[in-house]
Structures are given as C-alpha cells and as structure tokens.
Amino acid sequence: MKLYEVNTAIEDIVEQMVDTETGEILPLSDELMEQLHALEMERSRILEYLAKLVLNTRAEAAALKEEEQRLAKRRKRLEKKEAGLIEILDRECRGQKTDLGVATLKYTKSTRLDVFDAAKAIRWLKRNKYHECVRVKDPEVGKDEVKALIKSGIKVPGCQTVENVSCSLK
C-alpha cells in the first residue's frame, strides 16, 4: 500500500467513528480497531522506510562531495604540473615556434586592458561622451544590514523578515 492510500483508509475509519448528525464519537468495533491498528503499523513502516531513504541519500551525497573535493585537488595538481612543464618548454624554445614531434609549441600574441586608475579613466570617458564604455551596476539591498535594521524595530518599506521552519532528519 502507498502512503496516501494508508492515510485515506485511516481517514475513512475515523469518519465511521463520528455520527454525522450529532457529531458524537461512536465506539469502534473490534474489526475496525484491528484495521486501524494495521493501517497505523503500515503507515509507521512506510515512514521508517522514507527516513532510511533520506539517510541513505544524505550519505551518498556526502560521499560524492568528498570524491569531488579529492578530484578537484588532483586536477589542480595536474594543472600546476602542466604549467610548470609548459614553462620549461617555453624557456628552452626561447619564443620560437618549435616542432616537437608529437606536438608543436607555438606563440600567439594577445592584448588585454589593465585599468590601473579606474576613477581617472571613468572621468575621462564620461567627459568625452564615451558612455557605452562605462558600466554602472544596479544598486542592491544589503540583506544582512536591512535585517539588522528591522530587528532593531525600524520598518523598511518593501522588506520583511520571514521565519522559515526546516525539517531535518538525523
């Protein structure tokens, strides 16, 4: 039986206990009491199974997270090793394109912008009407600071604290 079926069957038995005209609770027959007890046992068994599933899933996720961390460390070590080996090849080939048999060491030029005085650059760009070159981030609410304001009794329009209730299984 599925959990919703068990719950529905329990509700049906409880409805049989109540007199629809007076609202009075009627005594249950032994047969109905046995059915109710069996349904409660089944419900308990299903809930225990679900709890076991949660614990098993949590353990599996923790193991995967640990494995991800181990693999990330390994990848970083390999990336550092690769960079060191490239550095040796670069030093030995002295900036010259070199055919190494299994691969060719090439050099390509690239250009990047280094903004060492952003304020000065922004003033100049705005003054000379290069507005598309200046990006302005939208302001955002500092949630921790506003939460502290509300907690101290100040009402902030458009903001409220919300209490959450979380369910955990240990």
Side-chain angles (χ1 to χ4, degrees), residues 5-141:
E5 293 170 339
V6 171
N7 287 336
T8 304
I10 290 172
E11 286 176 20
D12 290 343
I13 291 174
V14 170
E15 283 179 17
Q16 291 177 25
M17 290 174 51
V18 179
D19 186 342
T20 54
E21 293 177 12
T22 63
E24 200 176 312
I25 297 178
L26 305 172
L28 281 179
S29 68
D30 289 342
E31 182 183 319
L32 281 178
M33 284 298 284
E34 285 179 23
Q35 286 179 3
L36 185 61
H37 182 68
L39 289 168
E40 286 292 335
M41 294 295 289
E42 180 68 11
R43 183 176 185 276
S44 179
R45 187 189 65 74
I46 292 171
L47 293 175
E48 181 181 339
Y49 173 75
L50 290 172
K52 287 178 181 178
L53 275 176
V54 168
L55 294 173
N56 202 23
T57 303
R58 183 183 296 160
E60 191 174 343
L64 285 172
K65 184 176 182 180
E66 193 176 300
E67 182 69 8
E68 285 173 353
Q69 290 170 346
R70 188 187 68 76
L71 288 171
K73 286 179 185 176
R74 183 176 173 195
R75 178 183 47 81
K76 287 176 185 174
R77 278 195 310 268
L78 288 172
E79 287 171 350
K80 281 183 181 180
K81 182 178 179 179
E82 175 194 9
L85 294 171
I86 291 286
E87 209 174 280
I88 293 170
L89 286 170
D90 180 32
R91 183 182 62 229
E92 294 301 316
C93 294
R94 296 181 187 97
Q96 299 294 317
K97 180 179 176 182
T98 307
D99 183 8
L100 303 169
V102 294
T104 302
L105 186 66
K106 298 180 192 178
Y107 293 90
T108 54
K109 289 186 178 184
S110 64
T111 308
R112 69 176 179 85
L113 178 65
D114 181 25
V115 180
F116 56 89
D117 190 348
K120 188 184 276 187
I122 290 170
R123 278 193 308 272
W124 185 89
L125 289 166
K126 284 182 176 180
R127 190 172 45 243
N128 291 287
K129 298 183 178 155
Y130 292 105
H131 299 288
E132 71 278 0
C133 296
V134 179
R135 280 190 249 148
V136 179
K137 289 187 177 180
D138 291 333
E140 61 182 40
V141 175

Side-chain angles (χ1 to χ4, degrees), residues 129-169:
K129 298 183 178 155
Y130 292 105
H131 299 288
E132 71 278 0
C133 296
V134 179
R135 280 190 249 148
V136 179
K137 289 187 177 180
D138 291 333
E140 61 182 40
V141 175
K143 290 183 179 179
D144 292 335
E145 293 79 3
V146 172
K147 184 179 173 186
L149 281 176
I150 291 174
K151 205 172 190 180
S152 71
I154 299 171
K155 291 188 178 186
V156 179
C159 297
Q160 67 181 6
T161 57
V162 179
E163 280 190 32
N164 292 322
V165 177
S166 64
C167 178
S168 66
L169 181 67

